[in-house]
Amino acid sequence: MKIGVRAHDFGRHTPEHLSALIYNAGFEAVQLAPTKAIEGIHQWGDITPANLTAIQNGFFKNHVEIGILGCYIEPSLPDKEERTQQVKHFVTALTYAKELGVPFVGTETTRLNPNTEVHLRAARYQYLKDSVLRMVEQAERHNVTVAIEPVADHTLHSAELTRQLLDEVGSDHLKVIIDPVNLILEDTIARQTEIYLTFFCLLGKEIAVAHIKDIVFEDGEKVWRNIGKGCIDLDTIFHWLKENKPQITVLRE
């Protein structure tokens, strides 16, 4: 099991300096979102061949593996033109992942207000599936894998719907990211262990990367805590990962 971090949690730096900071902090892998972590890169269109070379060389020099590129888009937007533009960003990231030798490009899905927009979920799911089909088509061409993260208040909100998406897309180039915090809301915290076990049962073989953090709920809001100091059932998560995915990259926040 490789323990890593989100690179942008260390700030925005040159690739060599950033990877040195991460290595010196004791981590061996990262999720790299270039638009959040690398000096001079604020959107995917800013990336040049020189940037890619600097990223590849800098992280290699400092013995930090780029386990996944983060390209967080809005793949469920109802406006077709806006949604298509989001997918184009992701396709660009897939191209760069191939050039960097990174196996996965990850994203969440579009947020829905659980109080006022739940009735839109079925229609938004169709938009999501259309986007993912386009993303996976390009991923197959580049031999890179799309990693999608279910979030309880997003379009892709449950293990069951994620299983449906994977079955309908039907590609080995679509996998999932598990983030236990993102799978629960305040009104489902009491069922968190059941939710995690269902996720493992339905999607265990498809888990590519794990994100680990911890929280408590205060006044209906998630409040961050150090890992092990919150309310998340990390014992269940790590027991399953150690038994079933011993080589997985675990990214902490």
Side-chain angles (χ1 to χ4, degrees):
M1 187 176 291
K2 294 181 180 179
I3 306 300
V5 288
R6 300 187 310 178
H8 59 276
D9 286 339
F10 284 74
R12 190 185 292 273
H13 305 280
T14 66
E16 185 170 341
H17 183 52
L18 177 62
S19 54
L21 290 172
I22 291 166
Y23 178 80
N24 290 333
F27 298 105
E28 55 185 334
V30 295
Q31 172 181 293
L32 178 64
T35 59
K36 295 182 178 182
I38 304 299
E39 283 185 356
I41 298 176
H42 297 277
Q43 53 190 359
W44 288 96
D46 293 337
I47 298 176
T48 66
N51 292 140
L52 295 176
T53 299
I55 290 169
Q56 192 169 47
N57 292 344
F59 279 82
F60 180 80
K61 177 181 179 180
N62 288 309
H63 311 288
V64 176
E65 177 184 308
I66 305 173
I68 181 171
L69 289 186
C71 179
Y72 287 94
I73 63 168
E74 300 286 350
S76 310
L77 294 175
D79 184 278
K80 184 176 181 180
E81 184 174 343
E82 291 182 6
R83 190 170 70 250
T84 298
Q85 187 59 50
Q86 295 287 303
V87 172
K88 286 181 178 178
H89 292 320
F90 198 91
V91 169
T92 298
L94 290 169
T95 303
Y96 294 149
K98 179 181 180 180
E99 294 185 37
L100 292 168
V102 177
F104 303 107
V105 180
T107 186
E108 297 174 353
T109 63
T110 307
R111 185 179 185 275
L112 290 173
N113 188 311
N115 298 316
T116 61
E117 295 183 314
V118 171
H119 66 287
L120 301 174
R121 184 163 277 148
R124 296 289 176 86
Y125 172 78
Q126 295 303 320
Y127 300 144
L128 171 64
K129 185 170 73 170
D130 178 73
S131 294
V132 171
L133 284 167
R134 297 170 190 273
M135 292 151 59
V136 167
E137 180 182 16
Q138 295 301 317
E140 290 174 342
R141 291 181 181 178
H142 296 304
N143 197 27
V144 180
T145 297
V146 176
I148 199 160
E149 182 176 324
V151 181
D153 58 357
H154 285 203
T155 304
L156 198 66
H157 68 286
S158 69
E160 291 84 355
L161 190 62
T162 307
R163 182 70 264 167
Q164 178 181 331
L165 177 67
L166 266 63
D167 289 343
E168 291 178 350
V169 172
S171 173
D172 289 337
H173 289 265
L174 178 61
K175 301 298 181 184
V176 299
I177 300 168
I178 183 171
D179 183 331
V181 166
N182 286 352
L183 291 173
I184 59 168
L185 300 170
E186 186 175 30
D187 62 356
T188 60
I189 185 66
R191 297 193 296 107
Q192 63 170 310
T193 301
E194 173 192 343
I195 290 169
Y196 302 151
L197 292 176
T198 298
F199 194 100
F200 292 139
C201 179
L202 294 178
L203 299 165
K205 292 181 179 179
E206 318 296 345
I207 295 173
V209 177
H211 286 175
I212 299 296
K213 55 199 181 210
D214 212 342
I215 58 158
V216 294
F217 283 95
E218 294 182 357
D219 299 322
E221 300 292 330
K222 292 178 178 178
V223 179
W224 306 115
R225 291 289 184 266
N226 287 336
I227 292 173
K229 302 297 184 180
C231 64
I232 299 302
D233 180 10
L234 295 176
D235 287 342
T236 293
I237 299 297
F238 276 106
H239 177 78
W240 190 92
L241 291 175
K242 288 178 181 178
E243 290 290 322
N244 298 277
K245 295 278 184 174
Q247 303 303 317
I248 198 170
T249 297
V250 175
L251 299 165
R252 61 172 296 168
E253 296 185 22

